[in-house]
DNA sequence: CTGAAACGGGAATTTAAATTCCATTGAAAC
DNA sequence: GTTTCAATGGAATTTAAATTCCCGTTTCAG
């Protein structure tokens, strides 16, 4: 990978590989340009140098410097490569994927082609899961949850097994936002003991999906009994923690060949953290 | 009669219909040009007027006459229509919300409005991130990664901070699939020590996103030096672990008001586990 | 703190592309 | 056969884009 030379560049992939191999040696601004070029092949191919420069917030001359730093005569030469790549992507106008799902059902889609049919269906399922959040994660519910987090003395986060990554994420983000948060991670089998201190001034975020962990449910029980606020992240109304929660969110009901989607819940967790972040920003401005 | 007017032309289809309605009134040579334009939208969009004229065997000036006969200012105006149409046909165009994200960054999209626009844009960004996997997570790459996992004596998973949830998820799933896996979690600051035993018969899955953790990068370095296979999960080609990886996947380039999407990488991690699961299932049947 | 080297902004210049203009051709009318 | 006029080729001009160059600014070494 080190001995990449300009000569062998014919297509966009080749260019990108070459650019990556040279990236470290570029100046700060040229890196900025490099990132844009890597991320926006369509703009790079079609816009004028001045337009591209405008989007990156850089002088047009810097684009030429960028091209020359990589050994090209000018930026136009790079654009030629990207235009060529653009045309190659065109003939198969496979932009809408609904007809690909149809094909998959009929078995007409070529399994040996570049992409994996199971993966594609799985991607669709994840997109569905995320889209479902638009209806479920309403502003009112998010604000309610944010309110519980803000006025809590301590926030506890609990999730086991499949839900543990989500719990970790919430813990990490809230720590970054200066929320006094504790992760009930059950290290050393001490989950019940860790939960003993939960009181009426605290908030517990409970993440649980089938098969619902008994330990997690019993923590939710204890928290509700002790008068703590409970925020539930789970999959459906019949989940055991719904009736224990002051506010709950439903996500990732979907399952594809035995694999439950997880992106919806991650996205939900992030949405909650963004709502929290924005709230704190606004509160800070008013102070 | 010709109720078609130039004003309503916005896309290629509209232009073509308009051109058809005016076709009969054109001179012999202008008809020749019209046919070419109807048949070669790609050339019409991308070539210079001189190149197109050359292909039709006509003078460039005739192209301008053609455009003006139809009521346009010049041929460039027609090219603009065709370029716009071209972009829409490109795969991934419909899923591209980057311009909305840009607006949000500039603050031109009203953050304080009734509906939580940040969350909607964030959901869009996540969908975008997941869609991008279709192109990047090819069957070949997934199978290569699965191969490294299958033939490894031990598999190590490493990821810090934001990437830790992904690492945890991979660890959890591989343990369930009976892969001899170890999570390098850095408990007690012992990350370097945990990585000491990595050898040529092992495989390391490295998850890292900006700001790339120095510790994680140095583990990837050491692993590559010691001859272990490295599977990289990161955000872009210029990530420090790309050149250290035997196979790498790119996801979650997007960032919305300071929050990086994470659903793409979770989905990718799941895709990898599904590929692994399916592979083991098939292998089991043959045994 | 000082000086050298690299970097980057922006005007000036060059180059290329688009458009206009004019002379010529060719076809139709008388 | 001559006249007329739209159609066309091709040079000339204008316009726009790409590239160069100069100079102020930053960065880093000593």
């Amino acid at each position: 990978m080190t001995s990449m030379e300009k000569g062998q560049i014919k297509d966009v992939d080749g260019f990108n590989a070459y650019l990556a191999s040279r990236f470290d040696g570029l100046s700060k601004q040229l890196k900025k340009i490099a990132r844009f070029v890597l991320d926006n092949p369509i703009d790079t191919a079609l816009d004028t140098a001045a337009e591209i420069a405008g989007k990156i917030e850089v002088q047009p001359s810097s684009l030429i410097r960028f091209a020359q730093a990589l050994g090209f005569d000018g930026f136009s030469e790079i654009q030629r490569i990207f235009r060529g790549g653009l045309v190659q992507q065109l003939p198969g106008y496979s932009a809408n994927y609904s007809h690909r799902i149809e094909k998959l059902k009929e078995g007409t889609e070529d399994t040996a082609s570049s992409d994996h049919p199971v993966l594609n269906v799985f991607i669709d399922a994840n997109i569905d899961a995320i889209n479902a959040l638009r209806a479920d994660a309403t502003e009112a519910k998010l604000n309610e949850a944010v309110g519980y987090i803000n006025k809590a003395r301590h926030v506890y986060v609990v999730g086991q097994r499949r839900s543990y990554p989500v719990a970790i994420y919430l813990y990490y983000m809230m720590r970054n936002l200066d929320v006094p948060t504790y992760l009930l991670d059950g290290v050393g089998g001490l989950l019940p003991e860790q939960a003993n201190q939960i009181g009426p001034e605290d908030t517990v975020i409970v993440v649980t999906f089938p098969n619902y962990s008994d330990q997690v449910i019993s923590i939710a029980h204890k928290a509700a009994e002790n008068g703590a606020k409970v925020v539930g992240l789970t999959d459906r109304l019949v989940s055991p923690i719904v009736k224990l929660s002051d506010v709950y969110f439903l996500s990732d009901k979907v399952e594809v060949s035995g694999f439950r989607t997880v992106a919806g819940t991650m996205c939900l967790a992030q949405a909650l953290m963004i709502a929290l972040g924005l709230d704190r920003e606004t509160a800070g401005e008013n102070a």
Side-chain angles (χ1 to χ4, degrees), chain A residues 276-287:
Chain A
L276 181 63
L278 291 177
D279 183 83
R280 304 222 142 188
E281 216 169 72
T282 320
E285 280 164 10
N286 298 343

Side-chain angles (χ1 to χ4, degrees), chain A residues 234-278:
Chain A
T234 188
D235 65 330
R236 41 184 71 200
L237 272 175
V238 297
S239 158
I241 65 155
V242 163
K243 46 179 87 80
L244 301 170
S245 301
D246 294 277
V247 60
Y248 58 86
F249 300 91
L250 306 180
S251 58
D252 286 324
K253 301 188 234 275
V254 200
E255 198 173 293
V256 176
S257 38
F259 289 85
R260 175 169 300 272
T261 63
V262 82
T265 309
M266 279 310 288
C267 189
L268 171 64
Q270 264 193 307
L272 189 58
M273 292 301 98
I274 290 176
L276 181 63
L278 291 177

Side-chain angles (χ1 to χ4, degrees), chain A residues 134-154:
Chain A
R134 290 188 214 272
D136 187 68
T138 60
E139 192 182 6
K141 280 165 70 176
L142 286 167
N143 284 342
E144 190 182 347
V146 167
Y148 294 150
I149 292 170
N150 272 332
K151 73 175 180 221
R153 192 184 47 180
H154 302 308

Side-chain angles (χ1 to χ4, degrees), chain A residues 148-149 151-156 184 195-206 219-232 243-247:
Chain A
Y148 294 150
I149 292 170
K151 73 175 180 221
R153 192 184 47 180
H154 302 308
V155 177
Y156 296 90
L184 306 179
N196 270 340
Q197 333 153 27
I198 299 173
E201 293 175 314
D202 299 326
T203 294
V204 185
I205 303 178
V206 182
I219 286 180
H221 260 295
K222 191 177 283 183
E225 269 171 28
N226 292 1
K229 293 295 179 189
V230 177
V231 177
K243 46 179 87 80
L244 301 170
S245 301
D246 294 277
V247 60

Side-chain angles (χ1 to χ4, degrees), chain A residues 17-270:
Chain A
Y18 173 67
L19 175 54
S21 78
R22 297 284 310 269
F23 186 82
D24 288 336
L26 297 175
S27 78
K28 196 175 143 200
Q29 196 179 42
L30 296 194
K31 279 180 183 162
K32 196 172 163 192
I33 295 173
R35 279 192 213 96
F36 181 91
V37 168
L38 288 167
D39 291 347
N40 303 73
I42 297 175
D43 290 345
T44 306
L46 295 180
D47 288 355
T48 66
E51 285 173 319
I52 296 170
K55 286 180 186 175
I56 313 181
E57 291 179 326
V58 154
Q59 291 295 318
S61 49
S62 296
L63 293 185
I64 283 91
R65 277 191 217 111
F66 168 74
Q68 291 176 343
L70 295 173
F72 295 93
D73 280 349
F75 190 69
S76 305
E77 207 175 328
I78 291 177
Q79 279 196 302
R80 219 163 293 133
I81 294 170
F82 276 82
R83 286 204 183 174
L86 208 62
V87 174
Q88 289 187 340
Q89 290 188 30
L90 274 170
Y93 26 67
S94 56
N96 98 32
Y97 55 87
S98 51
H99 86 278
R100 290 172 64 183
I101 296 172
E102 289 305 317
K103 274 192 182 172
L104 186 68
K105 284 179 185 163
E106 295 163 14
T108 33
E109 186 146 28
D110 188 3
T111 316
S113 79
S114 61
D115 34 23
H116 209 293
V118 178
L119 176 62
N120 268 309
V121 172
F122 187 70
I123 286 175
D124 292 339
N126 273 289
I127 290 175
D128 282 347
I130 292 180
N131 264 319
L133 292 180
R134 290 188 214 272
D136 187 68
T138 60
E139 192 182 6
K141 280 165 70 176
L142 286 167
N143 284 342
E144 190 182 347
V146 167
Y148 294 150
I149 292 170
N150 272 332
K151 73 175 180 221
R153 192 184 47 180
H154 302 308
V155 177
Y156 296 90
V157 185
V158 61
Q160 293 277 291
R161 300 168 59 83
R162 185 199 313 284
S163 307
Y164 189 56
V166 179
I168 289 261
Y169 175 80
L170 288 169
Y171 173 70
Y172 166 72
M173 288 302 286
M174 285 196 287
R175 275 286 161 192
N176 275 346
L177 291 166
D178 290 322
V179 179
T181 312
Y182 300 92
L183 179 66
L184 306 179
D185 56 8
V187 167
L190 296 173
L191 207 47
E193 288 75 8
Q194 287 182 313
N196 270 340
Q197 333 153 27
I198 299 173
E201 293 175 314
D202 299 326
T203 294
V204 185
I205 303 178
V206 182
V207 190
T208 186
F209 285 81
N211 324 347
Y212 311 105
S213 152
D214 288 340
Q215 284 189 312
V216 171
I217 295 168
S218 74
I219 286 180
H221 260 295
K222 191 177 283 183
E225 269 171 28
N226 292 1
K229 293 295 179 189
V230 177
V231 177
L233 274 62
T234 188
D235 65 330
R236 41 184 71 200
L237 272 175
V238 297
S239 158
I241 65 155
V242 163
K243 46 179 87 80
L244 301 170
S245 301
D246 294 277
V247 60
Y248 58 86
F249 300 91
L250 306 180
S251 58
D252 286 324
K253 301 188 234 275
V254 200
E255 198 173 293
V256 176
S257 38
F259 289 85
R260 175 169 300 272
T261 63
V262 82
T265 309
M266 279 310 288
C267 189
L268 171 64
Q270 264 193 307

Side-chain angles (χ1 to χ4, degrees), chain A residues 1-5 18 21-22:
Chain A
M1 196 88 163
T2 14
S3 64
M4 269 238 138
E5 282 183 28
Y18 173 67
S21 78
R22 297 284 310 269

